[in-house]
Amino acid sequence: MHIRDWPTAERPREKLLAHGASILSDAELLAIFLGSGLRGRDTVQTARELLQVHGPLRQLLDRSADELAQLPGLGPARACKLRAALELGQRHLAADLQRGAALSDPTSAGRYFSQRLRARPHEVFAALFLDTRHRALAHNAAAVMIGHNHPSGNPEPSAADRAITTRLQQALALVDIRLLDHFVIGDGTPVSLAARGWI
């Protein structure tokens, strides 16, 4: 049965419009991007098979556009749509920082680092440069937050992570810049070294 023949309340788009995106399953969200299924399968069924064989969702979406394009039911156009959707989400998350919103709690900064770094296949080190009210700016910072990812997925800080944090904190203090936090990004919740009392 084609999705257009389903009861209206069960169709992914109609469910999203009526109840919001959060009510949809991973397969239903993916089906909205696919638009149509493989021959003999509806869109949701095609999305479920993609997730069963090449998922779960994060593992599927962490692939590059070229890798996604090779998967059955995707191809270059749909792969580009998925990668563009992820980038839109990241830019939406970054928009508050660009508008100067304060990073007054570790959750928002940790979430920002997680969105930007979690999917990287190799270790990446990043910094947020903050003014005296802990709002993002380009440089001339009064304070800094740093983060890096563990491609292994284990966010537990290593001894080397703690050592580099101490060295950075000391170096920044020489020029009157505070190191507010260091986040280690892996699977699940980012680990804040400041929350553990290590900064």
Side-chain angles (χ1 to χ4, degrees), residues 103-126:
L103 289 169
S104 55
D105 69 286
T107 303
S108 57
R111 187 168 56 242
Y112 176 78
F113 279 118
S114 183
Q115 289 292 328
R116 300 304 282 181
L117 302 178
R118 187 178 63 187
R120 301 295 183 98
H122 52 275
E123 196 164 305
V124 176
F125 192 92

PDB file of all heavy atoms in Angstrom, residues 103-126:
ATOM      1  N   LEU A 103      26.672  32.178  27.315  1.00  0.00           N
ATOM      2  CA  LEU A 103      26.826  30.757  27.633  1.00  0.00           C
ATOM      3  C   LEU A 103      26.961  30.652  29.153  1.00  0.00           C
ATOM      4  O   LEU A 103      28.047  30.467  29.681  1.00  0.00           O
ATOM      5  CB  LEU A 103      28.061  30.196  26.937  1.00  0.00           C
ATOM      6  CG  LEU A 103      27.933  30.062  25.421  1.00  0.00           C
ATOM      7  CD1 LEU A 103      29.291  29.767  24.815  1.00  0.00           C
ATOM      8  CD2 LEU A 103      26.950  28.977  25.059  1.00  0.00           C
ATOM      9  N   SER A 104      25.855  30.811  29.832  1.00  0.00           N
ATOM     10  CA  SER A 104      25.897  30.897  31.282  1.00  0.00           C
ATOM     11  C   SER A 104      25.865  29.534  31.965  1.00  0.00           C
ATOM     12  O   SER A 104      26.069  29.441  33.159  1.00  0.00           O
ATOM     13  CB  SER A 104      24.733  31.753  31.784  1.00  0.00           C
ATOM     14  OG  SER A 104      23.509  31.228  31.298  1.00  0.00           O
ATOM     15  N   ASP A 105      25.586  28.469  31.218  1.00  0.00           N
ATOM     16  CA  ASP A 105      25.577  27.146  31.843  1.00  0.00           C
ATOM     17  C   ASP A 105      26.341  26.178  30.958  1.00  0.00           C
ATOM     18  O   ASP A 105      26.399  26.349  29.735  1.00  0.00           O
ATOM     19  CB  ASP A 105      24.139  26.660  32.058  1.00  0.00           C
ATOM     20  CG  ASP A 105      23.449  26.338  30.757  1.00  0.00           C
ATOM     21  OD1 ASP A 105      23.075  27.274  30.022  1.00  0.00           O
ATOM     22  OD2 ASP A 105      23.306  25.145  30.444  1.00  0.00           O
ATOM     23  N   PRO A 106      26.936  25.147  31.559  1.00  0.00           N
ATOM     24  CA  PRO A 106      27.750  24.223  30.776  1.00  0.00           C
ATOM     25  C   PRO A 106      26.949  23.391  29.787  1.00  0.00           C
ATOM     26  O   PRO A 106      27.494  22.922  28.792  1.00  0.00           O
ATOM     27  CB  PRO A 106      28.407  23.332  31.839  1.00  0.00           C
ATOM     28  CG  PRO A 106      27.615  23.523  33.075  1.00  0.00           C
ATOM     29  CD  PRO A 106      26.982  24.869  32.989  1.00  0.00           C
ATOM     30  N   THR A 107      25.644  23.239  30.009  1.00  0.00           N
ATOM     31  CA  THR A 107      24.846  22.396  29.114  1.00  0.00           C
ATOM     32  C   THR A 107      24.820  22.951  27.705  1.00  0.00           C
ATOM     33  O   THR A 107      25.002  22.218  26.736  1.00  0.00           O
ATOM     34  CB  THR A 107      23.404  22.261  29.656  1.00  0.00           C
ATOM     35  OG1 THR A 107      23.464  21.742  30.977  1.00  0.00           O
ATOM     36  CG2 THR A 107      22.588  21.337  28.786  1.00  0.00           C
ATOM     37  N   SER A 108      24.595  24.263  27.567  1.00  0.00           N
ATOM     38  CA  SER A 108      24.498  24.844  26.226  1.00  0.00           C
ATOM     39  C   SER A 108      25.830  24.787  25.493  1.00  0.00           C
ATOM     40  O   SER A 108      25.885  24.471  24.307  1.00  0.00           O
ATOM     41  CB  SER A 108      23.978  26.281  26.297  1.00  0.00           C
ATOM     42  OG  SER A 108      24.810  27.074  27.115  1.00  0.00           O
ATOM     43  N   ALA A 109      26.921  25.067  26.193  1.00  0.00           N
ATOM     44  CA  ALA A 109      28.232  24.993  25.550  1.00  0.00           C
ATOM     45  C   ALA A 109      28.589  23.553  25.190  1.00  0.00           C
ATOM     46  O   ALA A 109      29.099  23.279  24.102  1.00  0.00           O
ATOM     47  CB  ALA A 109      29.299  25.584  26.467  1.00  0.00           C
ATOM     48  N   GLY A 110      28.308  22.629  26.096  1.00  0.00           N
ATOM     49  CA  GLY A 110      28.578  21.221  25.809  1.00  0.00           C
ATOM     50  C   GLY A 110      27.791  20.726  24.617  1.00  0.00           C
ATOM     51  O   GLY A 110      28.306  19.984  23.770  1.00  0.00           O
ATOM     52  N   ARG A 111      26.524  21.156  24.528  1.00  0.00           N
ATOM     53  CA  ARG A 111      25.681  20.756  23.396  1.00  0.00           C
ATOM     54  C   ARG A 111      26.242  21.321  22.091  1.00  0.00           C
ATOM     55  O   ARG A 111      26.267  20.643  21.065  1.00  0.00           O
ATOM     56  CB  ARG A 111      24.248  21.235  23.633  1.00  0.00           C
ATOM     57  CG  ARG A 111      23.255  20.724  22.613  1.00  0.00           C
ATOM     58  CD  ARG A 111      21.820  20.969  23.038  1.00  0.00           C
ATOM     59  NE  ARG A 111      21.573  22.380  23.317  1.00  0.00           N
ATOM     60  CZ  ARG A 111      21.210  22.864  24.495  1.00  0.00           C
ATOM     61  NH1 ARG A 111      21.058  22.060  25.531  1.00  0.00           N
ATOM     62  NH2 ARG A 111      21.000  24.157  24.661  1.00  0.00           N
ATOM     63  N   TYR A 112      26.723  22.565  22.143  1.00  0.00           N
ATOM     64  CA  TYR A 112      27.310  23.174  20.942  1.00  0.00           C
ATOM     65  C   TYR A 112      28.535  22.389  20.476  1.00  0.00           C
ATOM     66  O   TYR A 112      28.646  22.024  19.303  1.00  0.00           O
ATOM     67  CB  TYR A 112      27.689  24.631  21.219  1.00  0.00           C
ATOM     68  CG  TYR A 112      28.380  25.274  20.050  1.00  0.00           C
ATOM     69  CD1 TYR A 112      27.658  25.724  18.950  1.00  0.00           C
ATOM     70  CD2 TYR A 112      29.765  25.401  20.023  1.00  0.00           C
ATOM     71  CE1 TYR A 112      28.298  26.292  17.864  1.00  0.00           C
ATOM     72  CE2 TYR A 112      30.410  25.975  18.938  1.00  0.00           C
ATOM     73  CZ  TYR A 112      29.665  26.423  17.864  1.00  0.00           C
ATOM     74  OH  TYR A 112      30.308  26.971  16.788  1.00  0.00           O
ATOM     75  N   PHE A 113      29.452  22.117  21.390  1.00  0.00           N
ATOM     76  CA  PHE A 113      30.643  21.348  21.021  1.00  0.00           C
ATOM     77  C   PHE A 113      30.256  19.964  20.507  1.00  0.00           C
ATOM     78  O   PHE A 113      30.843  19.459  19.544  1.00  0.00           O
ATOM     79  CB  PHE A 113      31.593  21.212  22.208  1.00  0.00           C
ATOM     80  CG  PHE A 113      32.470  22.407  22.448  1.00  0.00           C
ATOM     81  CD1 PHE A 113      32.384  23.118  23.635  1.00  0.00           C
ATOM     82  CD2 PHE A 113      33.392  22.825  21.503  1.00  0.00           C
ATOM     83  CE1 PHE A 113      33.193  24.216  23.874  1.00  0.00           C
ATOM     84  CE2 PHE A 113      34.205  23.917  21.721  1.00  0.00           C
ATOM     85  CZ  PHE A 113      34.108  24.628  22.913  1.00  0.00           C
ATOM     86  N   SER A 114      29.281  19.341  21.152  1.00  0.00           N
ATOM     87  CA  SER A 114      28.863  18.004  20.747  1.00  0.00           C
ATOM     88  C   SER A 114      28.345  17.993  19.318  1.00  0.00           C
ATOM     89  O   SER A 114      28.713  17.131  18.507  1.00  0.00           O
ATOM     90  CB  SER A 114      27.783  17.480  21.707  1.00  0.00           C
ATOM     91  OG  SER A 114      27.414  16.169  21.373  1.00  0.00           O
ATOM     92  N   GLN A 115      27.496  18.969  18.987  1.00  0.00           N
ATOM     93  CA  GLN A 115      26.947  19.029  17.633  1.00  0.00           C
ATOM     94  C   GLN A 115      28.028  19.264  16.587  1.00  0.00           C
ATOM     95  O   GLN A 115      27.949  18.742  15.470  1.00  0.00           O
ATOM     96  CB  GLN A 115      25.887  20.135  17.539  1.00  0.00           C
ATOM     97  CG  GLN A 115      24.606  19.824  18.263  1.00  0.00           C
ATOM     98  CD  GLN A 115      23.837  18.698  17.606  1.00  0.00           C
ATOM     99  OE1 GLN A 115      23.866  18.520  16.400  1.00  0.00           O
ATOM    100  NE2 GLN A 115      23.144  17.916  18.411  1.00  0.00           N
ATOM    101  N   ARG A 116      29.023  20.041  16.936  1.00  0.00           N
ATOM    102  CA  ARG A 116      30.060  20.369  15.963  1.00  0.00           C
ATOM    103  C   ARG A 116      31.143  19.293  15.839  1.00  0.00           C
ATOM    104  O   ARG A 116      31.757  19.160  14.773  1.00  0.00           O
ATOM    105  CB  ARG A 116      30.733  21.703  16.339  1.00  0.00           C
ATOM    106  CG  ARG A 116      29.795  22.875  16.392  1.00  0.00           C
ATOM    107  CD  ARG A 116      29.037  23.103  15.109  1.00  0.00           C
ATOM    108  NE  ARG A 116      29.855  23.758  14.103  1.00  0.00           N
ATOM    109  CZ  ARG A 116      29.410  24.088  12.894  1.00  0.00           C
ATOM    110  NH1 ARG A 116      28.180  23.818  12.543  1.00  0.00           N
ATOM    111  NH2 ARG A 116      30.208  24.660  12.034  1.00  0.00           N
ATOM    112  N   LEU A 117      31.376  18.537  16.898  1.00  0.00           N
ATOM    113  CA  LEU A 117      32.545  17.655  16.913  1.00  0.00           C
ATOM    114  C   LEU A 117      32.237  16.165  16.932  1.00  0.00           C
ATOM    115  O   LEU A 117      33.085  15.359  16.559  1.00  0.00           O
ATOM    116  CB  LEU A 117      33.433  17.981  18.124  1.00  0.00           C
ATOM    117  CG  LEU A 117      33.953  19.409  18.244  1.00  0.00           C
ATOM    118  CD1 LEU A 117      34.764  19.566  19.529  1.00  0.00           C
ATOM    119  CD2 LEU A 117      34.796  19.783  17.030  1.00  0.00           C
ATOM    120  N   ARG A 118      31.056  15.777  17.402  1.00  0.00           N
ATOM    121  CA  ARG A 118      30.802  14.364  17.689  1.00  0.00           C
ATOM    122  C   ARG A 118      31.005  13.454  16.481  1.00  0.00           C
ATOM    123  O   ARG A 118      31.524  12.361  16.614  1.00  0.00           O
ATOM    124  CB  ARG A 118      29.388  14.193  18.237  1.00  0.00           C
ATOM    125  CG  ARG A 118      29.096  12.791  18.726  1.00  0.00           C
ATOM    126  CD  ARG A 118      27.723  12.685  19.293  1.00  0.00           C
ATOM    127  NE  ARG A 118      26.734  12.947  18.267  1.00  0.00           N
ATOM    128  CZ  ARG A 118      25.444  13.062  18.492  1.00  0.00           C
ATOM    129  NH1 ARG A 118      24.985  12.972  19.721  1.00  0.00           N
ATOM    130  NH2 ARG A 118      24.608  13.284  17.511  1.00  0.00           N
ATOM    131  N   ALA A 119      30.608  13.891  15.305  1.00  0.00           N
ATOM    132  CA  ALA A 119      30.656  13.015  14.133  1.00  0.00           C
ATOM    133  C   ALA A 119      32.016  12.989  13.444  1.00  0.00           C
ATOM    134  O   ALA A 119      32.202  12.236  12.480  1.00  0.00           O
ATOM    135  CB  ALA A 119      29.581  13.435  13.127  1.00  0.00           C
ATOM    136  N   ARG A 120      32.965  13.774  13.915  1.00  0.00           N
ATOM    137  CA  ARG A 120      34.275  13.823  13.236  1.00  0.00           C
ATOM    138  C   ARG A 120      34.989  12.483  13.382  1.00  0.00           C
ATOM    139  O   ARG A 120      35.050  11.919  14.459  1.00  0.00           O
ATOM    140  CB  ARG A 120      35.145  14.924  13.822  1.00  0.00           C
ATOM    141  CG  ARG A 120      34.552  16.314  13.743  1.00  0.00           C
ATOM    142  CD  ARG A 120      34.394  16.785  12.309  1.00  0.00           C
ATOM    143  NE  ARG A 120      33.882  18.140  12.249  1.00  0.00           N
ATOM    144  CZ  ARG A 120      34.645  19.222  12.084  1.00  0.00           C
ATOM    145  NH1 ARG A 120      35.957  19.100  11.962  1.00  0.00           N
ATOM    146  NH2 ARG A 120      34.102  20.415  12.052  1.00  0.00           N
ATOM    147  N   PRO A 121      35.560  11.969  12.280  1.00  0.00           N
ATOM    148  CA  PRO A 121      36.220  10.658  12.330  1.00  0.00           C
ATOM    149  C   PRO A 121      37.601  10.693  12.979  1.00  0.00           C
ATOM    150  O   PRO A 121      38.181   9.662  13.274  1.00  0.00           O
ATOM    151  CB  PRO A 121      36.317  10.261  10.856  1.00  0.00           C
ATOM    152  CG  PRO A 121      36.372  11.561  10.119  1.00  0.00           C
ATOM    153  CD  PRO A 121      35.511  12.510  10.915  1.00  0.00           C
ATOM    154  N   HIS A 122      38.147  11.897  13.182  1.00  0.00           N
ATOM    155  CA  HIS A 122      39.447  12.023  13.846  1.00  0.00           C
ATOM    156  C   HIS A 122      39.316  13.083  14.937  1.00  0.00           C
ATOM    157  O   HIS A 122      38.347  13.831  14.987  1.00  0.00           O
ATOM    158  CB  HIS A 122      40.537  12.416  12.838  1.00  0.00           C
ATOM    159  CG  HIS A 122      40.171  13.627  12.025  1.00  0.00           C
ATOM    160  ND1 HIS A 122      39.413  13.554  10.883  1.00  0.00           N
ATOM    161  CD2 HIS A 122      40.425  14.943  12.221  1.00  0.00           C
ATOM    162  CE1 HIS A 122      39.233  14.769  10.390  1.00  0.00           C
ATOM    163  NE2 HIS A 122      39.827  15.635  11.194  1.00  0.00           N
ATOM    164  N   GLU A 123      40.289  13.142  15.825  1.00  0.00           N
ATOM    165  CA  GLU A 123      40.210  14.064  16.962  1.00  0.00           C
ATOM    166  C   GLU A 123      40.367  15.502  16.489  1.00  0.00           C
ATOM    167  O   GLU A 123      41.285  15.831  15.743  1.00  0.00           O
ATOM    168  CB  GLU A 123      41.293  13.716  17.984  1.00  0.00           C
ATOM    169  CG  GLU A 123      41.053  14.355  19.335  1.00  0.00           C
ATOM    170  CD  GLU A 123      41.895  13.716  20.439  1.00  0.00           C
ATOM    171  OE1 GLU A 123      41.813  12.483  20.613  1.00  0.00           O
ATOM    172  OE2 GLU A 123      42.622  14.463  21.113  1.00  0.00           O
ATOM    173  N   VAL A 124      39.428  16.339  16.914  1.00  0.00           N
ATOM    174  CA  VAL A 124      39.425  17.763  16.566  1.00  0.00           C
ATOM    175  C   VAL A 124      39.336  18.567  17.856  1.00  0.00           C
ATOM    176  O   VAL A 124      38.559  18.244  18.750  1.00  0.00           O
ATOM    177  CB  VAL A 124      38.238  18.111  15.639  1.00  0.00           C
ATOM    178  CG1 VAL A 124      38.178  19.609  15.369  1.00  0.00           C
ATOM    179  CG2 VAL A 124      38.330  17.340  14.330  1.00  0.00           C
ATOM    180  N   PHE A 125      40.126  19.621  17.950  1.00  0.00           N
ATOM    181  CA  PHE A 125      40.171  20.496  19.115  1.00  0.00           C
ATOM    182  C   PHE A 125      39.577  21.831  18.696  1.00  0.00           C
ATOM    183  O   PHE A 125      39.929  22.378  17.656  1.00  0.00           O
ATOM    184  CB  PHE A 125      41.624  20.663  19.561  1.00  0.00           C
ATOM    185  CG  PHE A 125      41.787  21.307  20.900  1.00  0.00           C
ATOM    186  CD1 PHE A 125      41.861  20.529  22.045  1.00  0.00           C
ATOM    187  CD2 PHE A 125      41.879  22.687  21.021  1.00  0.00           C
ATOM    188  CE1 PHE A 125      42.026  21.112  23.291  1.00  0.00           C
ATOM    189  CE2 PHE A 125      42.036  23.273  22.264  1.00  0.00           C
ATOM    190  CZ  PHE A 125      42.113  22.482  23.404  1.00  0.00           C
ATOM    191  N   ALA A 126      38.636  22.376  19.495  1.00  0.00           N
ATOM    192  CA  ALA A 126      37.974  23.628  19.139  1.00  0.00           C
ATOM    193  C   ALA A 126      37.905  24.547  20.343  1.00  0.00           C
ATOM    194  O   ALA A 126      38.013  24.098  21.489  1.00  0.00           O
ATOM    195  CB  ALA A 126      36.563  23.342  18.623  1.00  0.00           C
TER     196      ALA A 126
END
